[in-house]
Structure formats: C-alpha cells, structure tokens
C-alpha cells in the first residue's frame, strides 16, 4: 500500500500563514529603497552590497580580513509606526580594525529620524552581538554585545523598561532611562541564520524577539524637548548597522499593523 505523508504540506501552510500580510523591504537583488550614511552618491551604499547567491545584504563584502574599515548605517527610505518586522542574520568569518579582536557587533534600528548622514542616527536599537547573555557589561575590547539588548541612540530619547539594575526583568518595576541589557536569548551556532523580530506599537511598546524567544520589552518611547516636556516617539525608518564585523541580512519583511 502506498503511504501518504501530509507533513510537508502542513509545514508549508504553517509558514505561509505565519508570514501572511508581510511585504519585503529588501528584494534580494538591489538596495533600492535604502540609503547608507557613508554612501558617496547615487548607487553607492557604503559598507553594504548585495550577495546575489544568498539573496542577502552583505556587510563589508570582499574587504581584506583585519584591514581598517569604517562603521556605517543603512536606512530605509520608508517610515513605519505600528508594525512587525522580521529578518534573518548570520555572522561571516572576517572582522576588521579597529575591532578585529572584539566580539562581533551590529544592530537593528527602528524609529530612525533626524540627520540620516550620521552613522548612528536618532533611534532605538535592538542590539546584535555574539557575546553570551551572562557576559559582564564592559567597555572596549572586553565589551558585551548580546543580541536583544536595548540601546537608546540619542541623549534626548527615553524609554521605560522593566529592569533590575541594568538588566531586563519582566517582573520588575519599569525604569525610565536609556540602555538596558537582557540575559535572555542566545544565538544559533556560528555561521547559522538567526531570526529577529520587532513588534512595534508606535510609542507605546516595543518587543524584541530572538529565535522565537521574547528577550526584552520596553514602553513609552519619547523624545525630550528643550522645555523639559516630552513628545511620543511614534514613527521612523528602519536601520541596519555595520560595526567592523562581516555579516549578512536577508528575508527582511514587514507587516504594518492598525494603529490603536
């Protein structure tokens, strides 16, 4: 008797349903719709290029290992407010001076605004990095770069994050401030693709997900004004960082959500 297996169809339908309503932010072929802070003009995307074989955005492709490079930021032309963003990333072998012997480091930015020629524009960041979650916080060569940490890029920006000390704690009181670390989540073995998700509800809430695990949630995203008041940080562009470590980003897609 011929056996019939329905699992592949079920899996395919599950994947399709999971991504229903998403639209690509990167077509796998060109960097149309994106611009780089260090781009020198039309068609120049600085540290970023397209790897056609991987259908990925390739950071520092073809650069000599250990050579001196500069950091960079690739930013979407479009702005978003309420959305789910999904992408995959993986580290490639090469690293570059002045951080050739540091832990690998990059970042996924959202609500990017202001001067887009600044390498780190005003924004919120879901950190990307190969440091384990229990590595002590440190500076310089001993620095901690763990995927899922929150960085607030801009002295006038603030967020409220449940934390004990500098570490995210979903059961703790919310702390108003800037950067918060997480001990949750871990990357896949080196060279494998990791899945990142952002669930953003305007200024109200941001959820960071790494490989299916919620690793941090932050609330009440605001920008302080000169008179001491604050305004909600409701929208902005998407940004991808380049920080002296070769990597690839792919399957970048977004689903816009209805505003509350």
């Amino acid at each position: 008797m011929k056996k019939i297996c329905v699992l592949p169809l079920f899996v395919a339908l599950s994947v399709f349903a999971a991504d229903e309503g998403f639209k690509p932010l990167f077509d796998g072929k060109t960097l149309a719709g994106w611009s780089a802070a260090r781009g020198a003009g039309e068609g120049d995307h600085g540290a970023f290029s397209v790897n056609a074989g991987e259908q990925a955005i390739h950071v520092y492709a073809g650069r000599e290992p250990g050579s001196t490079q500069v950091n960079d930021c690739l930013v979407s032309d479009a702005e978003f407010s309420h959305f789910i963003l999904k992408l995959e990333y993986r580290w490639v072998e090469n690293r570059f001076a002045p951080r050739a012997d540091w832990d690998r480091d990059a970042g996924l930015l959202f609500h990017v605004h202001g001067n887009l020629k600044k390498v780190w524009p005003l924004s919120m960041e879901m950190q990307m990095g190969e440091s384990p979650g229990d590595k002590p916080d440190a500076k310089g060569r001993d620095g901690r770069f763990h995927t899922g940490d929150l960085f607030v890029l801009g002295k006038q920006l603030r967020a409220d994050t449940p934390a004990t000390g500098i570490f995210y704690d979903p059961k703790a009181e919310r702390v108003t401030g800037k950067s918060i670390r997480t001990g949750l989540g871990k990357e896949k073995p080196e060279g494998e693709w990791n899945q990142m998700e952002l669930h953003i509800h305007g200024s109200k809430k941001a959820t960071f997900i790494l490989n299916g695990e919620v690793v941090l949630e932050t609330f009440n995203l605001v920008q302080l004004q000169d008179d001491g008041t604050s305004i909600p940080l409701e929208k902005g562009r998407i940004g991808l960082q380049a920080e002296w470590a070769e990597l690839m980003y792919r399957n970048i897609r977004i689903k816009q959500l209805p505003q509350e």
Side-chain angles (χ1 to χ4, degrees), residues 13 26 30 44 54 57 71 75 91 99 125 134-135 157-158 172 176 189 221 227 236:
L13 289 174
F26 166 59
T30 73
D44 186 333
E54 295 275 6
I57 297 174
N71 55 4
V75 176
W91 302 108
R99 295 189 180 183
E125 175 184 350
D134 60 355
K135 182 175 182 178
L157 303 185
R158 296 288 186 276
T176 299
L221 315 178
D227 62 2

Side-chain angles (χ1 to χ4, degrees), residues 185-251:
K186 62 180 182 180
E187 291 190 323
K188 294 184 178 180
E190 185 175 336
E192 293 188 16
W193 291 97
N194 295 277
Q195 289 77 44
M196 294 178 73
E197 292 185 39
L198 292 176
H199 292 228
I200 308 299
H201 299 271
S203 64
K204 294 181 180 179
K205 181 180 179 181
T207 302
F208 297 174
I209 301 174
L210 171 64
N211 294 325
E213 178 183 358
V214 174
V215 294
L216 187 140
E217 290 191 300
T218 189
F219 305 82
N220 191 31
L221 315 178
V222 300
Q223 183 160 343
L224 302 181
Q225 304 300 291
D226 291 339
D227 62 2
T229 62
S230 64
I231 59 174
L233 188 58
E234 280 289 331
K235 65 179 182 178
R237 303 167 193 253
I238 304 298
L240 305 174
Q241 290 184 336
E243 293 195 77
W244 301 285
E246 187 180 5
L247 79 154
M248 295 184 187
Y249 301 96
R250 73 176 187 185
N251 291 337

Side-chain angles (χ1 to χ4, degrees), residues 27-41:
D27 64 11
K29 301 175 182 179
T30 73
L31 290 176
W34 297 83
S35 59
R38 295 192 186 274

Side-chain angles (χ1 to χ4, degrees), residues 68-237:
T68 299
Q69 301 296 330
V70 294
N71 55 4
D72 206 347
C73 188
L74 188 71
V75 176
S76 68
D77 293 344
E79 292 187 332
F80 304 94
S81 178
H82 293 65
F83 60 91
I84 300 173
L85 177 75
K86 296 184 179 183
L87 63 76
E88 295 175 284
Y89 77 93
R90 73 175 180 90
W91 302 108
V92 188
E93 181 178 0
N94 295 328
R95 286 177 285 179
F96 307 95
R99 295 189 180 183
D101 58 350
W102 294 34
D103 287 356
R104 290 174 175 84
D105 174 25
L108 171 59
L109 311 182
F110 63 98
H111 288 354
V112 177
H113 60 289
N115 181 4
L116 302 183
K117 296 306 291 183
K118 290 185 64 175
V119 171
W120 303 152
L122 297 172
S123 58
M124 299 287 177
E125 175 184 350
M126 180 178 176
Q127 168 72 26
M128 296 164 53
E130 66 176 351
S131 300
D134 60 355
K135 182 175 182 178
D137 197 52
K139 300 291 185 181
R141 183 171 283 102
D142 297 323
R144 177 186 192 273
F145 303 104
H146 178 67
T147 300
D149 290 352
L150 167 69
F151 282 89
V152 179
L153 303 182
K155 64 181 182 179
Q156 297 298 100
L157 303 185
R158 296 288 186 276
D160 295 343
T161 313
T164 300
I166 64 170
F167 274 87
Y168 173 67
D169 180 353
K171 298 179 181 180
E173 296 288 329
R174 295 180 188 176
V175 176
T176 299
K178 298 173 75 70
S179 302
I180 294 292
R181 313 298 192 250
T182 178
L184 302 176
K186 62 180 182 180
E187 291 190 323
K188 294 184 178 180
E190 185 175 336
E192 293 188 16
W193 291 97
N194 295 277
Q195 289 77 44
M196 294 178 73
E197 292 185 39
L198 292 176
H199 292 228
I200 308 299
H201 299 271
S203 64
K204 294 181 180 179
K205 181 180 179 181
T207 302
F208 297 174
I209 301 174
L210 171 64
N211 294 325
E213 178 183 358
V214 174
V215 294
L216 187 140
E217 290 191 300
T218 189
F219 305 82
N220 191 31
L221 315 178
V222 300
Q223 183 160 343
L224 302 181
Q225 304 300 291
D226 291 339
D227 62 2
T229 62
S230 64
I231 59 174
L233 188 58
E234 280 289 331
K235 65 179 182 178
R237 303 167 193 253

